Amino acid sequence: MGLSIRNQFPGIVTSVTAGEAMATVKVRLAGGQDITAAITTDALKDLGFAEGTAVKALVKSTEVALATAPVEGLSIRNQIAGTVTDVATGNAMGSVKVSVEGGELTAAITKGAVDDLGLTAGSSVVALIKSTEVSLAAA
């Protein structure tokens, strides 16, 4: 199955915390970073995710925000450091490719944000991704 979601990271489930309706699943990515996904308990049961399960973490580029440094005092738990490798902008939006340990991710952000943050190839950034915006697929 082909997907339009370009941010796809292989990893291994390291912990699962299930509630009545939702569960948090922590995944160790191939590059060594941890990412947390919030998924329904129905999905958790249907897919059989448990510690040690190989998965792919999927994140749409529109769900990736960028900061120029780690951010404190924020509810967003997924913060992945990287380096900008390419910036393409149009009149309103930009596509920013970021090299991270073990791969690359893309963030779709406004042209104004690209300009305000001064993003160019070589810029250090931190990708911010809410756990509710991370989907998991069996690997």
Side-chain angles (χ1 to χ4, degrees):
M1 166 183 20
L3 291 174
S4 65
I5 299 173
R6 293 290 161 238
N7 297 320
Q8 299 184 25
F9 306 99
I12 301 293
V13 173
T14 57
S15 70
V16 175
T17 305
E20 288 194 29
M22 297 291 292
T24 57
V25 180
K26 187 175 278 190
V27 176
R28 174 71 40 92
L29 302 179
Q33 313 92 325
D34 290 321
I35 193 167
T36 300
I39 64 174
T40 65
T41 52
D42 286 343
L44 180 69
K45 291 174 190 171
D46 291 348
L47 296 168
F49 293 150
E51 285 186 34
T53 303
V55 297
K56 268 192 183 176
L58 309 167
V59 182
K60 290 176 59 178
S61 61
T62 53
E63 302 303 332
V64 178
L66 297 176
T68 56
V71 181
E72 293 184 25
L74 190 64
S75 66
I76 298 175
R77 294 294 174 234
N78 296 315
Q79 297 192 30
I80 302 173
T83 303
V84 174
T85 58
D86 186 55
V87 179
T89 57
N91 290 333
M93 295 295 294
S95 175
V96 181
K97 292 188 180 192
V98 179
S99 174
V100 299
E101 287 291 326
E104 182 176 78
L105 65 81
T106 301
I109 61 176
T110 66
K111 181 183 183 302
V114 170
D115 294 341
D116 289 349
L117 295 173
L119 299 178
T120 60
S123 298
S124 293
V125 293
V126 177
L128 307 169
I129 308 164
K130 291 180 63 169
S131 61
T132 54
E133 302 308 325
V134 178
S135 297
L136 297 176

